[in-house]
Amino acid sequence: MISLEFNYPPNIKEMMKLEIEKINLENLEFDNVFPAGESVVAITDIKEKEQKNSSGWYLEIEMINDDGKKIFDRILLGNKDAAYRDKAKVRWGLLQKACGKTEPVEDTDELLNLACVVVVVHKQDITYGTQAKILKYLPELTSAKKKGGKEY
């Protein structure tokens, strides 16, 4: 007969216990996810950042809604892959248009403090739980949302 008994190193159970005790439950919030659906947001910051896999750079756009919840978008304008760049250029243009711009901006600061509407969906992530993702940008709330309807 084969024994399935595991022989842990002598202190592994204590080490596991210590890791569990480090979690501070008081700071955990269940409703900290940006709401799904249409939301009016203001652009608060735009930063150029390098991609971690060294495949180029992107713009990280920080936005905030009336409730003070933040959401971020990453537009891969400097990606080495032309397909990503082309999609990113369209997304960047749609963001500018949603902010009321009729001509392309020359400086990202021109979008700071401008408002637009984001359509947000929730995605489930094994590691991070519920994640809010911007599906698209709109220049204004749709008529259905103004009447209290249309959730995504």
Side-chain angles (χ1 to χ4, degrees):
M1 179 175 270
I2 299 173
S3 172
L4 296 177
E5 186 175 314
F6 294 100
N7 292 319
Y8 292 104
N11 63 350
I12 192 76
K13 289 181 182 177
E14 284 299 313
M15 289 170 50
M16 290 168 52
K17 183 179 176 185
L18 289 175
E19 286 298 315
I20 292 171
E21 289 176 351
K22 289 181 183 178
I23 298 171
N24 184 351
L25 298 178
E26 290 179 26
N27 294 331
L28 295 179
E29 296 181 28
F30 291 104
D31 63 344
N32 203 21
V33 178
F34 197 93
E38 294 178 12
S39 293
V40 176
V41 296
I43 297 174
T44 55
D45 197 13
I46 302 176
K47 295 177 184 169
E48 185 178 314
K49 293 189 169 187
E50 288 293 319
Q51 288 185 256
K52 291 179 182 175
N53 63 4
S54 302
S55 63
W57 59 272
Y58 62 92
L59 291 178
E60 181 181 76
I61 297 128
E62 177 185 281
M63 295 163 261
I64 191 167
N65 69 4
D66 289 342
D67 295 331
K69 293 195 182 217
K70 291 182 181 180
I71 190 165
F72 296 85
D73 198 4
R74 291 175 178 87
I75 300 180
L76 307 171
L77 289 170
N79 194 287
K80 292 177 183 175
D81 185 322
Y84 281 109
R85 277 196 318 272
D86 291 345
K87 288 179 184 177
K89 286 177 186 175
V90 170
R91 190 169 181 89
W92 178 235
L94 290 172
L95 172 60
Q96 293 176 58
K97 191 173 180 179
C99 288
K101 296 292 184 180
T102 56
E103 297 291 324
V105 297
E106 293 181 24
D107 187 339
T108 57
D109 286 351
E110 293 178 49
L111 296 179
L112 294 180
N113 301 314
L114 293 183
C116 68
V117 175
V118 291
V119 177
V120 175
V121 294
H122 285 169
K123 303 274 183 171
Q124 292 302 317
D125 182 275
I126 293 171
T127 305
Y128 300 107
T130 303
Q131 297 289 296
K133 179 177 174 30
I134 297 173
L135 184 64
K136 62 182 175 177
Y137 295 102
L138 300 171
E140 61 183 37
L141 293 170
T142 63
S143 58
K145 182 65 177 181
K146 288 178 189 174
K147 295 176 185 174
K150 194 163 185 179
E151 291 297 322
Y152 292 86

